[in-house]
């Protein structure tokens, strides 16, 4: 195993460095932007968004939590964490949704990926930091990748499940009216599977 790891580090070092540089080009500007935004504006924006989505109680709790972080002198560290976790979450969703859709269309792909997802969800998230740090070094990129591996499975599984649970009779009726594959996906399957998919996205965010 040691020989294999040493060989991978020696031969893929340039590839790892390229991946690191590309990821940093996104994470660092996002972090700088969050650090630039005034604390009161960020807190107000989060409160407004929470109020519109979930109501007054969630908005007050969200704003109170942010104010607490500021009073404890942890604002800058919190914004750095938000940048890393936020980018990892967006990346996880962008990966999980198309793969989950593909799994719902192919039972062979589902059978191939399901054991991998089982392994990804079984291990604690900190386990993924070990190879990430070994190949990529310390910093934001290993944190993004370790979070990504742990956050992808819920959205992927529930996207697959939601589309598979769409009524076969409804899909058969849509085909009878000449619906194409893309129309079936965009106008029937995804809208009907949206509640299940949103549960998966919620779990990914958590």
């Amino acid at each position: 195993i040691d020989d294999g790891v040493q060989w991978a580090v020696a031969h893929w070092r340039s590839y790892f460095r390229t991946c690191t540089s590309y990821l940093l080009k996104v994470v660092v500007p996002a972090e700088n932007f969050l650090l630039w935004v005034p604390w009161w504006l960020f807190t107000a924006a989060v409160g407004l968004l929470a109020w519109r989505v979930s109501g007054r109680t969630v908005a007050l709790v969200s704003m109170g939590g942010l104010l607490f972080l500021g009073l404890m002198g942890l604002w800058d560290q919190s914004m750095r964490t938000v940048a890393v976790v936020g980018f990892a979450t967006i990346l996880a969703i962008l990966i999980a949704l198309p793969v989950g859709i593909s799994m719902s269309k192919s039972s062979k792909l589902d059978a191939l990926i399901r054991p991998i997802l089982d392994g990804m969800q079984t291990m604690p998230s900190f386990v993924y930091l070990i190879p990430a740090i070994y190949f990529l070094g310390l910093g934001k990129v290993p944190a993004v990748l370790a979070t990504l591996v742990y956050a992808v499975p819920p959205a992927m599984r529930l996207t697959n499940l939601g589309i598979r649970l769409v009524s076969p009779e409804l899909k058969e009726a849509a085909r009878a009216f000449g619906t194409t594959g893309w129309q079936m996906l965009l106008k029937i399957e995804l809208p009907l599977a949206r509640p299940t998919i949103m549960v998966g996205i919620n779990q990914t965010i958590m």
Side-chain angles (χ1 to χ4, degrees):
I1 292 174
D2 285 342
D3 291 341
V5 171
Q6 295 292 345
W7 181 89
V9 171
H11 288 79
W12 296 348
R13 182 171 293 143
S14 60
Y15 172 75
F16 292 135
R17 288 180 177 175
T18 301
C19 292
T20 301
S21 64
Y22 278 119
L23 290 174
L24 286 175
K25 287 180 181 179
V26 179
V27 177
V28 173
E31 179 183 301
N32 292 336
F33 173 76
L34 291 174
L35 292 172
W36 172 79
V37 174
W39 67 269
W40 54 267
L41 180 59
F42 185 84
T43 303
V46 169
L48 179 62
L49 180 62
W51 174 66
R52 292 297 300 272
V53 173
S54 299
R56 183 173 59 183
T57 302
V58 175
L60 292 175
V61 171
S62 301
M63 295 174 69
L66 290 172
L67 291 174
F68 176 77
L69 291 173
L71 292 173
M72 295 297 293
L74 300 173
W75 186 263
D76 288 353
Q77 292 90 329
S78 301
M79 293 301 101
R80 293 188 177 97
T81 302
V82 168
V84 170
V85 175
F87 176 66
T89 302
I90 294 171
L91 197 59
I93 293 171
L94 291 177
I95 293 172
L97 292 183
V99 176
I101 292 171
S102 300
M103 290 171 64
S104 71
K105 302 296 183 181
S106 171
S107 296
K108 290 183 179 180
L109 183 63
D110 181 30
L112 176 66
I113 295 180
R114 189 179 295 272
I116 299 174
L117 297 180
D118 292 340
M120 291 165 65
Q121 287 188 290
T122 302
M123 297 293 181
S125 58
F126 290 107
V127 171
Y128 304 119
L129 280 173
I130 299 171
I133 290 174
Y134 195 87
F135 287 110
L136 302 172
L138 296 171
K140 300 177 180 64
V141 175
V144 168
L145 294 181
T147 306
L148 178 66
V149 172
Y150 197 67
V152 159
M156 197 176 292
R157 285 181 183 278
L158 287 167
T159 299
N160 176 23
L161 177 64
I163 294 177
R164 286 179 179 272
L165 289 178
V166 174
S167 170
E169 291 81 8
L170 183 60
K171 291 194 287 186
E172 185 63 30
R175 291 191 191 97
F177 282 97
T179 303
T180 64
W182 278 108
Q183 289 174 332
M184 177 76 73
L185 177 65
L186 297 176
K187 296 185 178 182
I188 298 201
E189 291 177 329
L190 287 180
L192 292 176
R194 181 182 175 186
T196 306
I197 294 172
M198 292 306 297
V199 171
I201 291 176
N202 178 67
Q203 292 301 308
T204 292
I205 293 171
M206 294 297 292

